[in-house]
Amino acid sequence: MEKTDYKNVFVFAEQRDGVIQSVALELLGKAHELAGVLNEKVVAVLPGHNITKHAQMLIEYGADEVICIDEPELKDYLTEQYAQTICQVVNKFKPSILMIGATTIGRDLGPRLAARLTTGLTADCTRLEISEEGELMMTRPAFGGNLMATIMCTEHRPQMSTVRPGVMQKMTRDANRKGNVITFKPEFDKSKFLVRMVENVKVDKGKVDITDAKVLVSGGRGVGCKEGFEKLQALADVFPNAEVSSSRAMVDAGIIDHDRQVGQTGKTVRPDLYFALGISGAIQHLAGMEESDFIIAVNKDKFAPIFSVADLGIVCDLNKVVPLLTTRLAAEIEKK
Amino acid sequence: MNIVVCIKQVPNTNEIKINPETGTLIRDGVPSIMNPDDKGGLEMALRLKDQYGANVTVITMGPPQADAILREAFAMGADRAILLTDRKFAGADTLATSYALAGAIKTLDYDLIIAGRQAIDGDTAQVAPEMAEHLGLPQVSYTVDLKYNNGLCLVKKETEEGYQMLEVPTPCVLTVLAIANQPRYMSVKGIMEAFDKEVEIWTADKIDVDPNRLGLKGSPTRVKKSFTKPQKSPGQVYEVDAEEAVGIIISKLKEKFII
């Protein structure tokens, strides 16, 4: 491998049922910044079926070039079909960096590709930077978020990383951005297509994605029960774009759906306002929410670690604070 | 049917704490456990054994003390245990680890290879898919249920939106979530016998690999530095009654233009 042959920052543009996933746009935002430092191009790789129409949107979010691979075999994600495709794209276009969203798709595809390409892959990066030597520095949490490690892959290409949804920030969409759209035709070895999708079932959980909410009303052990969460929901209902979320304890107890879990084994969120109510603040939880713009913690225990990241801490019984706050806030918002 | 289950010994990361004065990890006294997702994988294999009769081999790569989780696997019902241990494996990243595991598994008879989705110390979820690639086998990750019928696996895979049912012929690699099942306890008889059974110790010479692709030498990634997260400076904490608390919260939200 000749390192100098490898150029440009590639982003795997994940789509599901023809819908570009938000994480792909977030990665384009980051790729734009990295490519700026390297003076290279941002290239989105878009595999799927009947997806070429989405190329312009990827450009508007930061791609300079989009490689479309439009094949019926790629309609739904299957490991081997996608691995063959992306592997051929990498071998032909030789990116220096390849970023993939750390979704159930990306975390299945990434390692398969890395092994096929004999290169390094760093999972769930929370920070990506370019070193003075022009190498990618990939920082990720380890030991359940207790430790951060900066990892590099200096002798192999591409430098690959996955990034969880919600960690990087999208660029503002710019309808005037221009870019090239290239079509790539893969050569499939269909004898390797051994996994067949029998059914793809979407369970309508009737809930929005907590990573999209502007305000999160998050409850922990101190909330205690389903009725307690109903009070949190009432507080959330006061805001126009708020959701209820939770720490792991309440998910393990079966009180809250896993979808709403914030933290190392749940989701990473960065809302404008995060209420941490009755959450003690285990490091695994903090890892998922400490980037929130403004954090208000209410806890009876004044030594709770949550107060170390809170912008405003209230030592008080949340069962008294929440209903009163709900009424007063509703009145305040009504006034406007 | 021959089933190989890959397991790993991990520190119970829920019990790791940071020393606030030095900012370093306190690892003393933190117990080592069988990684939870791997235990789910072992349970899945043992259920196939209960149902159809199977030979279950557990394999781990790690230091000599990883013997403990292999004995635990024996006590749960595994038939054979292999410990890959050698200084040549030291410093391996996920690619070199998966390569060594694949080199060992290649020398075994297998129909099905099961691994946990990810380990709680690294959380990468990379080793099993990389191993599947080295072995040239199809994979299904995020497995929560498996129905086996005559060389065909019907696998339920968890996704963000729900689940998928995927059909894959053996031999194949599945990665399993801890929530897939409730692992059985070790039986008393199993515990007694576990100490008499032989854990096979395999070194790098014993497996089918290119030694240059093992350990640190075979690892494309390098940890440049590790650090504990800088603490952000905490905001003000008020110990007040509910009435006053609500007043403070509302005035702060106004000040920040949130309301």
Side-chain angles (χ1 to χ4, degrees):
Chain A
M1 185 209 68
E2 201 55 62
K3 239 164 86 169
T4 48
D5 292 345
Y6 288 77
K7 260 195 204 60
N8 301 323
V9 182
F10 278 43
V11 170
F12 170 66
E14 180 182 327
Q15 53 81 26
R16 298 184 184 198
D17 296 327
V19 178
I20 303 289
Q21 299 296 293
S22 188
V23 68
L25 307 178
E26 293 161 18
L27 294 183
L28 285 173
K30 189 67 194 181
H32 185 76
E33 183 192 314
L34 298 175
V37 178
L38 292 165
N39 202 13
E40 293 179 353
K41 280 185 297 191
V42 176
V43 181
V45 182
L46 177 58
H49 189 45
N50 297 327
I51 37 73
T52 309
K53 55 180 179 285
H54 299 299
Q56 179 57 30
M57 171 177 157
L58 296 170
I59 291 167
E60 291 170 12
Y61 275 103
D64 301 307
E65 215 161 87
V66 181
I67 300 173
C68 291
I69 310 101
D70 194 336
E71 303 290 333
E73 288 86 351
L74 301 175
K75 185 179 163 292
D76 292 309
Y77 172 79
L78 285 164
T79 313
E80 184 60 28
Q81 281 79 338
Y82 271 59
Q84 286 188 16
T85 302
I86 307 296
C87 193
Q88 289 172 31
V89 168
V90 167
N91 287 331
K92 179 164 171 35
F93 295 93
K94 298 191 180 346
S96 73
I97 294 172
L98 172 58
M99 293 155 68
I100 299 174
T103 60
T104 55
I105 289 178
R107 296 177 104 225
D108 184 84
L109 174 66
R112 192 84 204 192
L113 267 177
R116 195 165 292 186
L117 296 162
T118 317
T119 189
L121 171 63
T122 305
D124 296 355
C125 298
T126 52
R127 205 161 77 206
L128 295 168
E129 299 151 291
I130 303 295
S131 74
E132 279 172 29
E133 299 77 29
E135 299 285 334
L136 185 62
M137 299 199 291
M138 301 170 272
T139 300
R140 71 180 302 268
F143 290 103
N146 288 286
L147 194 70
M148 303 299 290
T150 300
I151 292 167
M152 296 176 79
C153 173
T154 55
E155 305 306 316
H156 293 74
R157 288 292 183 267
Q159 306 162 90
M160 287 177 62
S161 71
T162 65
V163 179
R164 296 171 96 187
V167 172
M168 302 299 173
Q169 276 167 330
K170 288 175 209 173
M171 288 168 57
T172 310
R173 187 172 186 166
D174 176 0
N176 297 320
R177 277 194 102 241
K178 299 268 181 297
N180 292 329
V181 180
I182 300 166
T183 307
F184 179 78
K185 182 97 188 139
E187 280 171 30
F188 287 128
D189 174 1
K190 292 187 184 174
S191 71
K192 301 256 167 61
F193 293 174
L194 296 171
V195 179
R196 187 173 73 85
M197 180 153 352
V198 179
E199 218 182 344
N200 188 7
V201 180
K202 307 227 162 82
V203 180
D204 180 15
K205 292 173 180 150
K207 318 259 167 76
V208 300
D209 185 354
I210 59 165
T211 60
D212 282 341
K214 292 279 179 219
V215 176
L216 282 175
V217 179
S218 207
R221 223 182 279 273
V223 176
C225 56
K226 273 213 156 67
E227 293 68 39
F229 273 97
E230 282 163 18
K231 288 182 194 147
L232 268 49
Q233 185 63 55
L235 175 55
D237 290 343
V238 172
F239 296 95
N241 185 4
E243 284 295 324
V244 168
S245 57
S246 140
S247 70
R248 180 171 161 183
M250 294 294 96
V251 176
D252 287 349
I255 291 170
I256 288 282
D257 208 60
H258 178 67
D259 272 15
R260 291 182 181 257
Q261 185 189 330
V262 171
Q264 184 73 15
T265 51
K267 288 181 170 147
T268 305
V269 296
R270 50 163 70 192
D272 296 343
L273 176 59
Y274 188 90
F275 284 101
L277 305 170
I279 292 176
S280 65
I283 194 126
Q284 287 85 352
H285 185 78
L286 303 185
M289 49 65 78
E290 64 194 347
E291 299 290 321
S292 305
D293 280 351
F294 196 74
I295 299 168
I296 299 177
V298 181
N299 204 301
K300 274 197 285 198
D301 174 12
K302 64 176 168 187
F303 299 110
I306 191 74
F307 290 125
S308 70
V309 300
D311 298 285
L312 173 60
I314 302 287
V315 182
C316 194
D317 181 0
L318 73 96
N319 293 306
K320 293 190 180 126
V321 176
V322 171
L324 193 59
L325 182 61
T326 306
T327 320
R328 293 282 170 81
L329 268 176
E332 286 288 339
I333 289 168
E334 181 79 11
K335 266 197 279 180
K336 286 200 172 176
Chain B
M1 174 161 55
N2 290 304
I3 308 174
V4 176
V5 184
C6 301
I7 62 178
K8 185 183 185 187
Q9 188 180 47
V10 293
N12 189 346
T13 53
N14 290 329
E15 298 194 18
I16 290 185
K17 300 216 158 54
I18 305 275
N19 179 336
E21 267 143 43
T22 59
T24 51
L25 287 184
I26 305 169
R27 294 183 69 173
D28 289 345
V30 174
S32 289
I33 55 171
M34 189 189 304
N35 179 53
D37 281 349
D38 303 355
K39 207 173 198 175
L42 176 57
E43 177 61 29
M44 192 171 274
L46 293 172
R47 287 186 188 182
L48 288 176
K49 179 181 168 178
D50 294 343
Q51 226 179 331
Y52 304 102
N55 203 32
V56 176
T57 301
V58 284
I59 183 166
T60 193
M61 182 170 123
Q65 56 268 33
D67 180 82
I69 57 161
L70 295 172
R71 304 249 172 228
E72 186 182 350
F74 269 145
M76 286 172 68
D79 301 290
R80 184 180 177 193
I82 298 166
L83 172 58
L84 277 178
T85 192
D86 196 318
R87 283 193 173 278
K88 293 188 184 117
F89 299 135
D93 70 359
T94 62
L95 190 70
T97 302
S98 64
Y99 178 72
L101 281 169
I105 291 173
K106 250 193 247 175
T107 67
L108 301 170
D109 286 325
Y110 56 79
D111 299 292
L112 184 57
I113 301 170
I114 299 181
R117 165 200 45 173
Q118 67 190 45
I120 56 171
D121 55 350
D123 283 323
T124 73
Q126 288 173 190
V127 171
E130 290 182 334
M131 180 183 75
E133 174 65 20
H134 297 307
L135 292 167
L137 297 178
Q139 78 194 37
V140 177
S141 49
Y142 291 88
T143 301
V144 287
D145 196 21
L146 165 65
K147 291 204 172 42
Y148 175 80
N149 183 12
N150 205 15
L152 212 56
C153 298
L154 183 62
V155 184
K156 184 175 179 183
K157 170 180 180 159
E158 192 186 67
T159 65
E160 284 85 349
E161 299 97 359
Y163 63 90
Q164 295 173 344
M165 298 305 296
L166 300 164
E167 193 180 70
V168 53
T170 56
C172 60
V173 176
L174 306 181
T175 83
V176 175
L177 306 195
I179 56 162
N181 51 45
Q182 185 70 46
R184 66 196 60 195
Y185 291 107
M186 297 180 275
S187 69
V188 175
K189 183 164 167 280
I191 294 170
M192 302 297 283
E193 286 171 1
F195 290 95
D196 296 330
K197 287 192 177 159
E198 189 208 350
V199 168
E200 297 169 43
I201 309 284
W202 288 17
T203 57
D205 302 335
K206 169 101 177 132
I207 63 176
D208 180 10
V209 285
D210 169 1
N212 290 315
R213 295 182 62 187
L214 295 174
L216 192 62
K217 217 181 347 173
S219 298
T221 62
R222 289 275 188 283
V223 176
K224 285 290 157 186
K225 60 173 178 194
S226 61
F227 54 96
T228 50
K229 267 189 252 180
Q231 295 274 328
K232 80 175 209 184
S233 55
Q236 190 131 23
V237 179
Y238 300 88
E239 219 173 326
V240 291
D241 65 19
E243 184 71 37
E244 214 176 319
V246 168
I248 295 168
I249 292 172
I250 288 178
S251 70
K252 263 284 180 206
L253 292 180
K254 281 184 181 164
E255 188 187 310
K256 296 276 165 193
F257 300 105
I258 296 171
I259 56 167

